[in-house]
Amino acid sequence: EIVRAVNINMRRCALALCASAAVALLLPPTTTTLPGRGAPCRASSGSSRSGDFTVALRATAQTTEEPPARDGALVSRRAFGVLSSGAAAVAGGAATFLPSPASARGRGTQPAVFLRYQPRIVAYGEYLTTALPKIIQDADWPALKEAVAADVATKKGKVGPLYNGESAMTLWAASYSETAITPKTKNMEEMVAAMRTSRETLETVALKGTGEGLKKEGGFFGFGGKTEAPPSPAELAKRANVALKEAKQAYNAYVEINNAGIPFEINPLPTI
């Protein structure tokens, strides 16, 4: 909002300056005769800076004699050149002090981006400490399969809470970079990759538990083999709990990296 207000004020100043110069060049000077004197005197509205600026513009425009403008022409070529030069100077000065477009990217948009992704990131951490441990404890492998779903290739593919949180954390980490990837973004993305690995491990456990991930053993070129025996619920739960622990560690590391040197207008993320 501040940048927009500055842009508007600078444009108004440029337009006002050009309009003042145009009026000064187009309108004839007003003259008056002092009592007892025959020499006309130019009327003045006071010793204002605008009057001095008008006189300076006229002097500049009349430095070199040129034929008068043709009938119907508003300004002569020299007057038009003076106006154009003045407008260009004002525009150039305004551009010097206005912020560059790069300020609207990266950290310049972080508060709005944080409001979008923060709820999903926090929900991911809460899911690791509430719903997911209960799913593993109950050996609810179909529910675990839904939790790790990440079908983003199809239009109506299912996406579970774990992938939903990972994608939000990836996008939020990118907000700490502009033209080049910063070390902070890289470190945060490494933690997201660790959480992704944990999700893939949980997916393997879920498919083993439902029987969809059991492989064929023996046989000849895939024929005549027997399906491997499914792991016990205790063994599957052990694998799942290891992956869950690693996901929690990666999440807390992600939060600590994020909270270090965080902008003051952004609230820190909570650890779990």
Side-chain angles (χ1 to χ4, degrees), residues 61-86:
Q62 296 173 359
T63 302
T64 304
E65 294 293 332
E66 71 166 357
R70 293 175 297 185
D71 294 340
L74 295 179
V75 292
S76 65
R77 286 174 294 178
R78 179 164 298 280
F80 178 77
V82 174
L83 289 176
S84 300
S85 300

Side-chain angles (χ1 to χ4, degrees), residues 93-242:
T96 302
F97 293 100
L98 291 179
S100 62
S103 61
R105 298 193 300 268
R107 295 204 174 192
T109 60
Q110 273 195 317
V113 174
F114 184 74
L115 293 177
R116 181 185 305 174
Y117 298 123
Q118 182 263 355
R120 291 165 55 184
I121 296 174
V122 174
Y124 176 92
E126 294 176 349
Y127 191 82
L128 293 182
T129 58
T130 56
L132 189 55
K134 189 175 185 308
I135 290 175
I136 297 173
Q137 181 180 357
D138 296 342
D140 191 351
W141 310 128
L144 182 60
K145 178 183 175 182
E146 293 182 0
V148 300
D151 186 6
V152 295
T154 58
K155 185 176 182 180
K156 295 183 179 181
K158 293 182 179 181
V159 174
L162 294 182
Y163 180 84
N164 190 41
E166 292 169 13
S167 60
M169 285 185 278
T170 299
L171 294 170
W172 173 242
S175 69
Y176 286 100
S177 299
E178 292 185 6
T179 57
I181 300 177
T182 62
K184 184 167 186 173
T185 294
K186 291 181 180 180
N187 294 334
M188 294 173 71
E189 288 179 345
E190 288 178 1
M191 296 302 102
V192 176
M195 287 180 265
R196 186 182 306 113
T197 301
S198 298
R199 175 176 55 80
E200 293 171 351
T201 301
L202 291 172
E203 181 181 12
T204 302
V205 171
L207 295 179
K208 293 283 187 180
T210 60
E212 302 172 62
L214 298 178
K215 300 179 180 179
K216 294 284 187 178
E217 295 179 343
F220 183 73
F221 291 104
F223 296 98
K226 295 182 179 180
T227 303
E228 66 173 321
S232 65
E235 184 179 351
L236 292 175
K238 182 179 179 180
R239 296 181 188 176
N241 282 321
V242 171

Side-chain angles (χ1 to χ4, degrees), residues 29-81:
T30 303
T31 59
T32 184
T33 304
L34 295 176
R37 299 176 181 268
C41 178
R42 187 183 308 273
S44 175
S45 59
S47 57
S48 63
R49 294 185 179 181
S50 61
D52 297 340
F53 178 71
T54 302
V55 173
L57 283 177
R58 284 185 177 146
T60 304
Q62 296 173 359
T63 302
T64 304
E65 294 293 332
E66 71 166 357
R70 293 175 297 185
D71 294 340
L74 295 179
V75 292
S76 65
R77 286 174 294 178
R78 179 164 298 280
F80 178 77

